[in-house]
Amino acid sequence: MSVLGLVFSNPELYGSTLAMATPLALGALGGTFSERTGVVNIAMEGIMLVGAFFGVMAAASSHSAWVGLLAGVVAGGLISLALAWPAVRLQSDQVILGMAINLFAAGLTAFLLNTVYGFGGTPISTPQLPQLTIPILNNIPFLGAVLGQQNVVVYLMILLVIIGHFFLFHTNLGLRMRAVGEHPEAADTVGINVVRIRYFGVLIGGMMSGLAGVYLSIGMLNSFEVNMTDGRGYIALAAMIFGKWTPFGSLGAALLFGFATAVSFSLQNYGVSANLIGILPYALTIVALTGVIGRSKAPAADGLPYEPSK
Amino acid sequence: MAILEIRNLRKVFGSVIANDEVNLSLEAGETHAILGENGAGKSTLIKMISGLYKPDAGQILLNGVEQHFANPRDAILAGIGVVHQHFMLIPALSVAENVVLGSEGSRFLFRKKDAIEKVLRISKELGLPLDPAIKVQDLPVGMQQRVEIVKALYRNARILILDEPTAVLTPQETEELFAVVRRLNQDQIPVIFISHKLDEVREIADRITVMRAGKSVNTMPVADATAKELAQLMVGREVVLETIKTPAQTGNVVLSVEGLSVRDDRKMTRVKNVSFDVRTGEIFGIAGVDGNGQTELVEAIVGLRKLEGGKILFLDKDITAESVSGRIHRGIGYVPQDRQRDGLVLPFTVADNLILRSVGNQPFSKSGWLQKKSTRASAEKLIKEFDIRPPLADAQAVSLSGGNQQKVILAREMSREPQLLIAVQPTRGLDVGAIEGIHRHLLSLCEQGKAVLLVSLELEEIMQLSDRIGVMHAGELVTVMDAKKATRETLGLAMTGERVEEGVAP
Ligand SMILES: Nc1ncnc2c1ncn2[C@@H]1O[C@H](COP(=O)(O)OP(=O)(O)OP(=O)(O)O)[C@@H](O)[C@H]1O
Ligand SMILES: [Mg+2]
């Protein structure tokens, strides 16, 4: 069999695609929740870092990965309020806020890593989130190798994408969120509390990005390293746009980008540059925005501050 | 007792007193018209009644009980339904979703089927057919208004407020709206009706309150009011309701359209093989029921839409392949139909909006630098000439009343002294005084030997101003006639698609 044949017929490639896609999908889903209410969120990178760090810290000190997960999610939610408050209440520029949060989170987590754990880094005894084995699925050939045995967060992600879709498109609150993201003044005139909805969207989004970070630190590994997100927050942003601000779209785009990464890892052994594949998400995002494959259109009021009734 | 009573209401925005000592009472089952110039404060009053603005002083009473609306929700719960001057609909959502939004009637799950059923039921009761599943962005404005009305009644409105509802309607749609208003009155639901059109107000209203400069100046039964009196009360001076037009001295062909065919966004052919000329010194009017291809025709001439076939000549040059800005620089001025979307940059100041098209030119810019002083000076001149209120060059365009936004666009386009001005519904939403002003400006353009292509749904306007009138129906120019020979009847007939005898071939 040719080299490519070998690479592509290996089920592990698809298993690692799913693993690689998970933080991207969670980040993109988080961004979707925020931007659907009209708050531009480019802070996924920073929120993920914060989630990753506090996930490890809580897991290490409580000796429970689950406590770590919870702490990372809560930390993600809290830091996202630093975006929500000025964006919603003070009508500040959301892109600049997002950038500021990314820079702040990188500095904060590096500083805390150093002060709390010093030179040696996070403890090697930090517990990790478990891999799950799905009984029957695991025994199916090929599919079992892809889906049967993954980290618990991978399954959580799939669940959240489905719930997220259902929530946004089949519940009253989801309808209101979309309305606020499209035309906040119109939503205001029918009695929807624009401020509250936007807080809610950003907060939920922050928690999901926090979970993405937790997955990186105590899902894939059991440690935190400086700037360990390594641009995944931005790729998540790309996945959100490429996925047209929908949960399933986000997942699809994340899988595509995850696949590219997984392939590049496999091909590295055969001497193909990983950098080349690294630009794929951004290149595809540009393609999506130019409308070659059905135009990707942001919610109409995305990024526009709204001042409620005077 | 009055259902709704307004006592000495006041609202100030910075240095602008938008409402002051406004008094109004609304009785069960009546239609109460509010008349007033552009910027008189009508919309501001409505926004206070609907909880969007908080009054600075005064009282709002419902059935004798004073209300303090903290937000629109309070007003909705109190039974106040409003159709705002600029529709409050979400284009990306369906009709049904727009109608039930915020009061979905179920606890958690959005029940699409229920929503659709409710919309169908209400629209049927009202006699206003609607397709609940279609997206609002795909609806013409007349339909969008139906959505707004259904939306208000779905929320059990016991008072319906319509802010300039007929400005966007065809005569036929207006009649349908009036039927709805009468039905509501019969059900004891009072209606507040804001309009600039005196004849409409006299047809539908029981009582009239006139506002001027933020104050309510008078309330009277409609039977006691003559058009002339009302106009005078509104404007505070005498108004010439009919503009006198001198016959045109026509000259060379400015614009020549040959065999034009245009498709809309959905690839349907909306303009079919249309040919006509516009000459210097004349106003060429295009009449027709809304949606018969006028918009597409104009967009094609301005360069916003690709041609399916045909040719456009401007001053004997073929401009078919030219860009929008190229056409503008050749001397075409354009007043678009949707002023909020296409005509203005709302967050910019009035002064900046006034030079938008000439930013790169002397005297507003010198070697790439903006010249604030000359921008301001020119803005102040135009504000005066076109009577834009409040007369503040630094006011944001978004803070202007609807009618005054329209004046800004007109002032900008006319000040560039175009060889050809294309105006679509230039007086939509303007008060009688302002209309008089705009009409005078259009006529003076012609006297200077410029040409005007006027598209309007108002037959009166077309007949008053045009030298020649073309009528469009289903994408075709069915007739072109001399304005002197045109009557309401012949035009009306042509608008239904009949080819008219005395029409000269286009
Ligand atoms: N949000 C705002 N900020 C500042 N000024 C405002 C605001 N809203 C309205 N105004 C000013 O208040 C005055 C009244 O405006 P309003 O919109 O109530 O007029 P209107 O009677 O509805 O006019 P039109 O017939 O043109 O719609 C105007 O001078 C307007 O510029
Ligand atoms: Mg108004």
Side-chain angles (χ1 to χ4, degrees):
Chain A
M1 215 188 279
S2 73
V3 169
L4 282 182
L6 267 176
V7 169
F8 285 109
S9 63
N10 184 355
E12 264 176 37
L13 174 70
Y14 302 97
S16 71
T17 292
L18 195 56
M20 298 286 172
T22 297
L24 307 181
L26 283 170
L29 187 62
T32 299
F33 264 79
S34 174
E35 301 214 349
R36 275 290 179 167
T37 66
V39 181
V40 162
N41 194 341
I42 63 160
M44 274 89 93
E45 178 83 1
I47 300 173
M48 275 159 89
L49 263 183
V50 167
F53 179 81
F54 285 96
V56 169
M57 193 165 125
S61 56
S62 70
H63 304 292
S64 157
W66 297 108
V67 173
L69 184 147
L70 201 69
V73 169
V74 170
L78 286 180
I79 186 83
S80 74
L81 291 181
L83 168 65
W85 180 66
V88 176
R89 281 288 182 197
L90 310 179
Q91 283 91 39
S92 310
D93 186 293
Q94 299 163 7
V95 173
I96 295 175
L97 279 171
M99 222 47 230
I101 289 175
N102 288 339
L103 295 173
F104 170 74
L108 176 78
T109 51
F111 167 76
L112 286 177
L113 179 68
N114 225 326
T115 356
V116 179
Y117 298 108
F119 188 66
T122 52
I124 32 175
S125 62
T126 306
Q128 208 178 349
L129 287 163
Q131 299 283 117
L132 295 191
T133 308
I134 309 291
I136 300 159
L137 189 64
N138 191 36
N139 297 330
I140 304 174
F142 202 87
L143 205 62
V146 180
L147 275 169
Q149 204 174 22
Q150 289 280 6
N151 191 276
V152 59
V153 180
V154 174
Y155 298 110
L156 256 179
M157 177 276 288
I158 296 173
L159 210 64
L160 282 173
V161 165
I162 296 169
I163 295 176
H165 168 86
F166 180 78
F167 184 83
L168 268 180
F169 297 102
H170 296 280
T171 68
N172 294 335
L173 194 51
L175 176 67
R176 291 176 185 195
M177 288 172 73
R178 287 183 289 133
V180 167
E182 289 287 338
H183 194 337
E185 197 183 5
D188 193 1
T189 57
V190 292
I192 294 173
N193 190 327
V194 175
V195 169
R196 211 184 294 164
I197 294 264
R198 288 196 160 172
Y199 263 116
F200 177 76
V202 177
L203 183 69
I204 297 284
M207 289 164 73
M208 291 185 187
S209 298
L211 181 60
V214 166
Y215 175 72
L216 292 176
S217 62
I218 54 172
M220 292 180 118
L221 307 166
N222 69 334
S223 64
F224 181 85
E225 279 146 41
V226 169
N227 200 23
M228 73 184 301
T229 46
D230 193 22
R232 284 188 185 82
Y234 295 109
I235 302 184
L237 187 68
M240 170 190 77
I241 297 170
F242 196 61
K244 303 187 175 177
W245 286 266
T246 64
F248 285 132
S250 293
L251 175 58
L255 284 172
L256 182 65
F257 299 161
F259 179 70
T261 316
V263 170
S264 79
F265 282 160
S266 309
L267 288 183
Q268 250 167 24
N269 304 332
Y270 303 96
V272 176
S273 162
N275 287 340
L276 197 64
I277 292 187
I279 62 168
L280 180 81
Y282 308 111
L284 283 179
T285 302
I286 293 170
V287 171
L289 287 173
T290 50
V292 178
I293 37 166
R295 208 174 143 75
S296 183
K297 227 173 114 205
D302 202 7
L304 300 180
Y306 177 70
E307 215 173 327
S309 336
K310 294 153 220 179
Chain B
M1 192 198 313
I3 305 259
L4 170 72
E5 200 179 335
I6 305 294
R7 285 191 198 151
N8 294 317
L9 220 54
R10 179 181 165 88
K11 180 74 189 174
V12 181
F13 296 108
S15 61
V16 178
I17 302 176
N19 267 200
D20 189 23
E21 292 172 36
V22 174
N23 288 286
L24 184 84
S25 81
L26 187 66
E27 308 288 339
E30 79 164 332
T31 294
H32 195 125
I34 300 180
L35 272 174
E37 280 187 289
N38 297 123
K42 305 176 296 290
S43 295
T44 303
L45 171 64
I46 299 315
K47 286 182 178 166
M48 285 192 281
I49 301 176
S50 57
L52 270 172
Y53 292 162
K54 284 186 198 75
D56 292 328
Q59 295 168 301
I60 299 172
L61 295 91
L62 283 176
N63 298 309
V65 183
E66 189 174 353
Q67 307 287 320
H68 296 279
F69 299 143
N71 51 46
R73 179 160 211 100
D74 292 349
I76 293 169
L77 289 175
I80 289 171
V82 188
V83 178
H84 289 282
Q85 186 171 7
H86 301 117
F87 294 161
M88 295 292 178
L89 295 171
I90 294 151
L93 298 184
S94 73
V95 169
E97 286 170 333
N98 267 286
V99 168
V100 303
L101 183 68
S103 316
E104 297 85 355
S106 55
R107 279 190 76 86
F108 181 70
L109 289 185
F110 177 65
R111 301 192 189 284
K112 196 172 159 192
K113 271 209 195 103
D114 288 2
I116 288 180
E117 256 162 45
K118 284 176 202 159
V119 172
L120 282 178
R121 203 194 56 221
I122 298 172
S123 72
K124 205 162 147 203
E125 275 171 20
L126 284 172
L128 292 177
L130 261 182
D131 176 358
I134 204 166
K135 277 192 183 164
V136 165
Q137 66 199 17
D138 297 329
L139 289 178
V141 274
M143 282 291 184
Q144 292 186 12
Q145 182 173 72
R146 291 186 181 184
V147 181
E148 284 281 26
I149 294 173
V150 171
K151 194 170 126 188
L153 296 175
Y154 166 77
R155 287 169 172 70
N156 294 320
R158 274 165 285 136
I159 295 172
L160 185 67
I161 302 175
L162 304 170
D163 193 353
E164 284 194 43
T166 57
V168 296
L169 299 186
T170 61
Q172 193 199 353
E173 285 170 329
T174 300
E175 278 312 312
E176 286 166 8
L177 175 71
F178 284 179
V180 172
V181 168
R182 289 191 188 102
R183 200 161 328 158
L184 291 173
N185 283 167
Q186 270 164 23
D187 296 342
Q188 293 303 302
I189 295 180
V191 175
I192 292 181
F193 179 88
I194 296 177
S195 175
H196 292 296
K197 300 179 188 168
L198 300 177
D199 47 339
E200 277 179 14
V201 165
R202 288 158 56 83
E203 180 182 344
I204 191 72
D206 302 300
R207 288 194 301 159
I208 301 177
T209 292
V210 177
M211 285 183 75
R212 187 168 72 227
K215 295 193 163 116
S216 54
V217 288
N218 206 346
T219 298
M220 67 193 97
V222 77
D224 298 358
T226 67
K228 200 142 181 87
E229 244 178 341
L230 288 172
Q232 201 162 338
L233 267 177
M234 273 167 62
V235 184
R237 65 179 163 84
E238 216 166 313
V239 184
V240 194
L241 289 177
E242 295 249 323
T243 326
I244 312 297
K245 177 169 171 60
T246 47
Q249 302 291 319
T250 54
N252 302 335
V253 173
V254 176
L255 175 77
S256 172
V257 171
E258 293 171 19
L260 210 64
S261 293
V262 188
R263 288 192 209 164
D264 66 6
D265 295 333
R266 282 186 239 156
K267 304 266 183 280
M268 294 232 301
T269 303
R270 298 301 298 271
V271 177
K272 296 172 195 154
N273 194 17
V274 166
S275 306
F276 63 89
D277 290 337
V278 185
R279 294 170 178 275
T280 55
E282 78 167 341
I283 296 185
F284 187 89
I286 293 185
V289 178
D290 196 16
N292 275 284
Q294 300 98 314
T295 317
E296 288 79 9
L297 173 67
V298 166
E299 285 177 352
I301 297 175
V302 184
L304 289 168
R305 207 170 265 286
K306 268 203 219 127
L307 302 189
E308 196 186 345
K311 213 156 66 157
I312 304 168
L313 301 176
F314 180 64
L315 298 173
D316 297 329
K317 280 249 167 52
D318 189 338
I319 58 162
T320 313
E322 189 128 18
S323 68
V324 179
S325 66
R327 296 180 201 208
I328 288 168
H329 283 290
R330 281 190 187 279
I332 297 183
Y334 175 43
V335 179
Q337 174 151 14
D338 189 335
R339 55 188 172 230
Q340 291 226 319
R341 199 188 62 198
D342 304 328
L344 290 172
V345 182
L346 290 173
F348 281 18
T349 63
V350 169
D352 287 342
N353 268 293
L354 281 171
I355 61 155
L356 266 191
R357 290 245 206 244
S358 323
V359 192
N361 306 349
Q362 296 263 20
F364 307 120
S365 129
K366 259 192 207 134
S367 31
W369 296 93
L370 289 180
Q371 302 297 308
K372 296 265 175 203
K373 248 197 208 141
S374 42
T375 301
R376 220 195 141 80
S378 130
E380 270 160 9
K381 189 171 137 259
L382 289 175
I383 285 173
K384 204 165 190 185
E385 211 176 304
F386 284 81
D387 192 23
I388 295 166
R389 296 183 218 176
L392 304 172
D394 297 329
Q396 276 192 354
V398 70
S399 75
L400 258 50
S401 77
N404 280 294
Q405 291 178 351
Q406 180 77 340
K407 291 190 210 163
V408 172
I409 297 180
L410 267 158
R412 177 181 71 214
E413 296 302 321
M414 289 200 181
S415 68
R416 296 180 52 249
E417 304 198 340
Q419 292 302 312
L420 168 72
L421 182 75
I422 302 177
V424 184
Q425 298 268 68
T427 57
R428 185 173 114 186
L430 293 191
D431 65 58
V432 281
I435 291 176
E436 180 201 354
I438 298 295
H439 284 179
R440 261 194 295 113
H441 280 293
L442 287 176
L443 291 173
S444 78
L445 265 185
C446 292
E447 276 157 27
Q448 293 161 33
K450 311 282 172 12
V452 176
L453 177 62
L454 171 72
V455 178
S456 177
L457 304 176
E458 308 281 341
L459 271 188
E460 298 297 335
E461 179 166 85
I462 291 269
M463 290 171 62
Q464 241 180 65
L465 296 180
S466 309
D467 299 290
R468 287 187 302 147
I469 302 175
V471 180
M472 282 192 77
H473 176 259
E476 290 179 59
L477 195 63
V478 287
T479 182
V480 174
M481 57 180 104
D482 194 322
K484 283 192 285 280
K485 290 186 192 142
T487 63
R488 277 195 82 89
E489 288 68 35
T490 50
L491 287 175
L493 210 58
M495 281 162 74
T496 64
E498 295 281 328
R499 302 234 164 221
V500 183
E501 284 293 308
E502 60 267 58
V504 271

